[in-house]
Amino acid sequence: MGYTIVVTSGKGGTGKSTVTAACGTALALRGKSVLLIDCDWGLRCLDLMLGITSETVYDLGDIIYGNCDIHNAIYEVPGINGLYVIPAPNSVDYLNKADEISNLCKSLANDFDYIIIDCPAGVDKGFRAAVAPANLALVVVTPDAVSVRDAEKVGELLKRNGIKNQRLIINKFKRSVLRYESTKNLDKIIDSVSIQLIGVVPEDKNVQHLEALGQPIYGNSRAASAFRRIAARIEGEDVALPRIL
């Protein structure tokens, strides 16, 4: 039975789609079958990040409205065995489709070990539709005051939507942010958001380079190593945080 994870944040620009793609890649490289569902309606990017844009014919909207068989809109990521993507629709007409998204995840639960949903930014109807099927929410935050405050609000909203199992990912972390009073240290960020930490991903120029090429994030880069540790923790392993401060 597949385990459904939603990747969310309170604002745009936190790297939520990057986290979705990279966590999916890391889990697939551990031998798991992983389906990424891009619910960032109108702003689809997972197909670009993972190099499948030229292959896509159908998307999530076609599934919801019965224009194709479900499996016709599922695309395998080249070079990563076990990693698949359902692209987001270009339209925003699907924002109030929580039941359809939940039913889709249920129908695919026996086909994949993990289903990871890339949630749209913000907390409108699209947010509620994307988080509805989740067993676990990964809340992505960057170490700036606005992102931290918004992540705290998202955590409370997730609870109101019945998702108490939440973990925090601090993304794009740089030592230089510790100079600022609003984000003195990681502990202050964690305490402010009140969500248990599952990983810290350092700022890494390799990420932008690979995404521009449409290639998954893996290998020996600092970010890829961080995502491997996050994947291990998702699977229940006790993996210590590296010394980054």
Side-chain angles (χ1 to χ4, degrees):
M1 181 67 71
Y3 192 72
T4 302
I5 301 170
V6 64
V7 180
T8 186
S9 64
K11 62 185 288 289
T14 61
K16 177 174 48 59
S17 296
T18 297
V19 168
T20 301
C23 284
T25 298
L27 287 165
L29 291 173
R30 293 172 65 90
K32 304 300 179 180
S33 58
V34 183
L35 174 65
L36 310 180
I37 301 179
D38 193 345
C39 283
D40 205 350
W41 353 80
L43 297 172
R44 57 190 283 180
C45 59
L46 287 182
D47 57 320
L48 288 169
M49 289 180 175
L50 295 170
I52 61 167
T53 301
S54 62
E55 307 297 324
T56 59
V57 177
Y58 300 107
D59 57 37
L60 180 60
D62 292 304
I63 294 175
I64 290 175
Y65 282 102
N67 297 332
C68 70
D69 180 80
I70 291 176
H71 293 87
N72 288 339
I74 297 176
Y75 301 91
E76 186 168 14
V77 175
I80 306 292
N81 291 333
L83 182 61
Y84 302 83
V85 180
I86 296 178
N90 288 316
S91 170
V92 295
D93 296 334
Y94 308 93
L95 295 180
N96 197 20
K97 298 294 180 181
D99 290 342
E100 287 84 348
I101 301 298
S102 293
N103 290 335
L104 173 63
C105 290
K106 288 177 183 177
S107 69
L108 293 169
N110 292 324
D111 297 333
F112 298 94
D113 296 310
Y114 292 95
I115 296 173
I116 306 180
I117 300 171
D118 185 11
C119 182
V123 291
D124 56 10
K125 292 179 180 178
F127 170 88
R128 292 192 290 273
V131 306
N135 306 116
L136 166 68
L138 298 178
V139 179
V140 183
V141 64
T142 54
D144 64 84
V146 174
S147 179
V148 170
R149 183 182 60 190
D150 287 351
E152 181 182 3
K153 294 178 181 178
V154 166
E156 291 300 320
L157 187 58
L158 286 166
K159 290 178 184 177
R160 291 201 292 271
N161 280 267
I163 303 172
K164 297 181 179 179
N165 189 16
Q166 304 174 28
R167 296 294 183 271
L168 182 70
I169 294 178
I170 300 174
N171 194 29
K172 303 180 182 180
F173 182 80
K174 296 185 290 187
R175 293 184 184 184
S176 60
V177 302
L178 300 182
R179 300 173 189 165
Y180 299 102
E181 182 67 25
S182 59
T183 52
K184 248 184 180 177
N185 53 51
L186 292 179
D187 287 338
K188 185 169 183 179
I189 295 173
I190 297 165
D191 290 343
S192 296
V193 180
S194 299
I195 298 174
Q196 182 180 345
L197 184 70
I198 195 172
V200 179
V201 181
E203 183 80 23
D204 189 337
K205 294 180 180 178
N206 289 302
V207 170
Q208 290 182 333
H209 177 67
L210 290 171
E211 289 178 345
L213 294 174
Q215 295 180 6
I217 299 167
Y218 68 97
N220 296 319
S221 72
R222 296 171 66 215
S225 297
F227 285 116
R228 284 196 296 272
R229 291 189 291 270
I230 291 171
R233 296 184 192 109
I234 288 173
E235 295 228 271
E237 296 182 19
D238 186 9
V239 180
L241 285 170
R243 292 184 60 85
I244 60 173
L245 302 181

